[in-house]
Amino acid sequence: MEKNSSRNDYTSKNADNNPSKHFHFLFPPHYFHKRPLLSSLFCLPTYLLALLLILLLAYNAITVFYIFVAFPGKNSSEPANFLPENVRGSARKWVTSSMKLSSNVLRAIKEANPPVISKTHVTSFHNSHSFPLQWNHSSSFPPKKRCRVKRVVGIPPIEAKGSLFSTRVKEFFSNYSCELRFFMTWISSLERFGYRELFTIESLFNSHPDACLLILSNSMDSTRGMQILMPFLVKDFKLMAVSPDYDYLFNNTLAAAWFDGLRKGDTNPGKVPFGQNLSNLLRLSLLYNYGGIYMDTDFVVLKRFSLLRNVIGAQNVDPKTGKWSRLNNAVMIFDKKHPLLSAFIQEFTLTFNGNRWGYNGPYLVSRVVKRVNGKPGYNFTVLPPSAFYPVGWRRISSLFEGPRDELQSKWLGSKLEEIRGHSLAVHLWNRQSRSMTVEEGSIVSHLMVDCCVFCNSSAPAL
């Protein structure tokens, strides 16, 4: 009895320190006896182990559910904001040669407001347009000791608005009676599409009010792009911006295999801004598929092109021989499926060089024409420089400058009359003249008055 009494006293004194007093509903009394931790774990009752297992499963389910909800991210179809890439004037910056290969291509293709390119790309290209994209430089270069070019992730997806392209273009040309079909490309941001580009359209419709103009551009094929073009639509001019479907346009030509190789990383896009080279191929494919007139967005159109067929313009002429020394692809007029266009496309895909500016454009058409000139089956005309390029890029500033003295005033007057009499359009060489302003009394200022549509509206200088 004394032993029991003593034990009861000990139990009573330590009751507050005994966990079993508070957790007896979870643990059996003998559980709190001293034993190794692992041994204690194995002694847990089955219902407690089941409870712990359920908690672990619940935690795992919550974790997995969270990952699947958050991983996809917001895959918006709204235009991504690329290109930013570039604002008007010297502020625009293309990717330099020191940047990664993938970034070069991304910046070129991704436009400021591409409505069809998802923002979930390695974009931290656009991209889309305000285009600027964050580049993942750490993953842009291919691993060393590998010859294969890193896969180009910035190429537009195959079905990016592609399923609608052919239908939209067909309906556009079917719904309107187009005396002439004009095409332009704009692989850049909306911010860069300024008054100079708008005046090219204005002068085009001033000379060709019954023509149709199709602008291939991701950024222009948007709500903002529509707003920019609205003044022309209000005046019932026939124009539309549409996102290009490269696979459709390149189909059944060598361009398809070349473009596929670019997507897979088998083709090196080079150091030249890829948008420039893509535009070179796109204009050829447009004319090959539809026929009509391609024109860059830095022209002032002076006269009608109605009588021109299968024409390309010379940029330079050899003063000794009087023969052309270089052609240019800024304006081309060809029938659908013309063999010279096929030769241009073949030359582009087989000799592509992304590291030399102009190699896949002006130099390309010059090489091919020299090669096929005089051969049967090719029917085309080379117009003299005065038709489209009355002033070369080295002297383009002379068209923007006003008279400084009597001698210059006489020269300007003489040159203006020469252009009015012999030129169909004037190329402004945007690459060299982008930062120039139109001075009062300059040749360009007179041409603007000659070719305007919205003549009474105040507009900034070209």
Side-chain angles (χ1 to χ4, degrees):
M1 290 295 294
E2 290 180 0
K3 283 185 177 182
N4 291 339
S5 175
S6 174
R7 178 174 297 180
N8 291 338
D9 292 341
Y10 175 82
T11 302
S12 176
K13 292 178 182 179
N14 294 278
D16 294 336
N17 297 324
N18 189 350
S20 65
K21 176 180 179 180
H22 303 287
F23 303 103
H24 59 85
F25 58 93
L26 287 178
F27 303 94
H30 64 272
Y31 180 77
F32 292 97
H33 293 174
K34 292 183 179 180
R35 62 180 67 247
L37 178 62
L38 184 61
S39 176
S40 300
L41 182 63
F42 283 117
C43 290
L44 286 174
T46 303
Y47 65 85
L48 185 58
L49 287 173
L51 178 61
L52 291 175
L53 180 60
I54 291 173
L55 291 174
L56 288 173
L57 291 174
Y59 173 78
N60 182 64
I62 292 174
T63 303
V64 172
F65 177 76
Y66 171 80
I67 291 177
F68 275 88
V69 168
F71 176 79
K74 184 178 181 180
N75 187 6
S76 174
S77 60
E78 294 298 322
N81 287 326
F82 156 27
L83 292 191
E85 232 181 348
N86 316 307
V87 293
R88 186 175 182 178
S90 59
R92 173 177 181 174
K93 294 181 180 179
W94 286 102
V95 181
T96 63
S97 60
S98 62
M99 297 184 71
K100 294 1 182 208
L101 175 61
S102 303
S103 297
N104 237 352
V105 177
L106 285 178
R107 184 176 291 271
I109 294 185
K110 188 83 177 164
E111 302 187 14
N113 292 314
V116 300
I117 299 181
S118 171
K119 294 180 182 178
T120 58
H121 282 224
V122 178
T123 71
S124 355
F125 174 26
H126 279 6
N127 335 184
S128 251
H129 298 142
S130 330
F131 296 113
L133 301 184
Q134 310 292 327
W135 309 101
N136 187 347
H137 292 232
S138 63
S139 63
S140 299
F141 276 119
K144 293 182 178 180
K145 296 183 180 181
R146 288 186 63 187
C147 297
R148 185 182 180 82
V149 178
K150 185 174 179 62
R151 189 175 189 274
V152 180
V153 297
I155 298 296
I158 292 180
E159 290 300 327
K161 273 194 175 180
S163 59
L164 298 177
F165 175 81
S166 59
T167 300
R168 292 179 64 190
V169 174
K170 182 178 180 180
E171 290 180 351
F172 175 68
F173 288 134
S174 298
N175 292 339
Y176 296 106
S177 176
C178 305
E179 182 176 345
L180 292 174
R181 293 179 178 180
F182 281 84
F183 298 92
M184 294 180 180
T185 63
W186 185 253
I187 303 182
S188 190
S189 69
L190 286 177
E191 288 73 16
R192 185 131 176 97
F193 199 92
Y195 184 72
R196 181 173 297 192
E197 289 72 29
L198 286 171
F199 192 80
T200 296
I201 299 176
E202 190 172 340
S203 65
L204 185 157
F205 282 122
N206 178 70
S207 299
H208 306 82
D210 296 324
C212 293
L213 171 60
L214 190 68
I215 304 174
L216 268 71
S217 170
N218 282 330
S219 60
M220 293 298 293
D221 186 12
S222 62
T223 301
R224 286 182 59 202
M226 178 68 73
Q227 292 172 348
I228 291 174
L229 300 176
M230 187 56 66
F232 298 99
L233 298 174
V234 169
K235 280 187 169 289
D236 294 327
F237 290 122
K238 295 166 281 192
L239 77 163
M240 179 178 74
V242 59
S243 298
D245 175 12
Y246 298 97
D247 296 280
Y248 176 83
L249 290 168
F250 298 160
N251 189 37
N252 296 323
T253 69
L254 290 177
W258 178 86
F259 195 63
D260 186 58
L262 187 72
R263 278 199 178 106
K264 294 178 179 178
D266 297 331
T267 301
N268 186 342
K271 300 176 181 179
V272 174
F274 185 71
Q276 178 64 48
N277 285 322
L278 185 61
S279 175
N280 286 330
L281 181 57
L282 187 57
R283 68 189 67 181
L284 298 175
S285 298
L286 278 169
L287 295 181
Y288 185 79
N289 281 279
Y290 297 103
I293 304 166
Y294 171 81
M295 174 175 286
D296 276 355
T297 56
D298 56 348
F299 273 89
V300 176
V301 181
L302 308 179
K303 297 182 178 69
R304 295 181 65 80
F305 292 3
S306 304
L307 300 180
L308 301 181
R309 184 179 179 187
N310 299 322
V311 163
I312 191 168
Q315 175 181 325
N316 297 323
V317 170
D318 186 328
K320 294 181 180 180
T321 64
K323 297 181 179 180
W324 63 265
S325 58
R326 183 182 303 170
L327 305 181
N328 200 297
N329 63 340
V331 177
M332 295 184 291
I333 306 170
F334 283 100
D335 294 340
K336 178 179 178 180
K337 307 292 184 182
H338 193 281
L340 187 57
L341 294 172
S342 180
F344 286 156
I345 294 173
Q346 178 177 331
E347 180 75 4
F348 184 100
T349 59
L350 297 181
T351 68
F352 177 80
N353 185 336
N355 294 316
R356 292 177 57 187
W357 190 93
Y359 185 84
N360 310 297
Y363 293 103
L364 181 150
V365 295
S366 300
R367 293 195 304 271
V368 173
V369 169
K370 283 183 178 179
R371 187 185 310 149
V372 305
N373 193 28
K375 291 185 177 181
Y378 295 92
N379 178 27
F380 63 92
T381 301
V382 175
L383 296 182
S386 58
F388 305 119
Y389 314 100
V391 174
W393 60 269
R394 289 185 176 87
R395 299 192 60 194
I396 189 60
S397 61
S398 64
L399 299 188
F400 287 81
E401 297 171 352
R404 298 288 190 273
D405 51 41
E406 185 177 355
L407 182 62
Q408 186 180 21
S409 179
K410 289 181 178 180
W411 182 88
L412 291 176
S414 175
K415 189 64 177 179
L416 177 60
E417 292 307 311
E418 176 186 323
I419 290 174
R420 283 172 170 168
H422 299 93
S423 298
L424 298 168
V426 178
H427 192 211
L428 298 181
W429 304 99
N430 253 12
R431 193 163 181 257
Q432 287 73 33
S433 68
R434 168 66 73 177
S435 61
M436 298 178 187
T437 57
V438 180
E439 297 181 7
E440 185 178 354
S442 66
I443 291 176
V444 172
S445 69
H446 286 287
L447 297 180
M448 291 176 64
V449 173
D450 294 344
C451 306
C452 62
V453 170
F454 308 105
C455 302
N456 295 325
S457 61
S458 58
L462 292 180

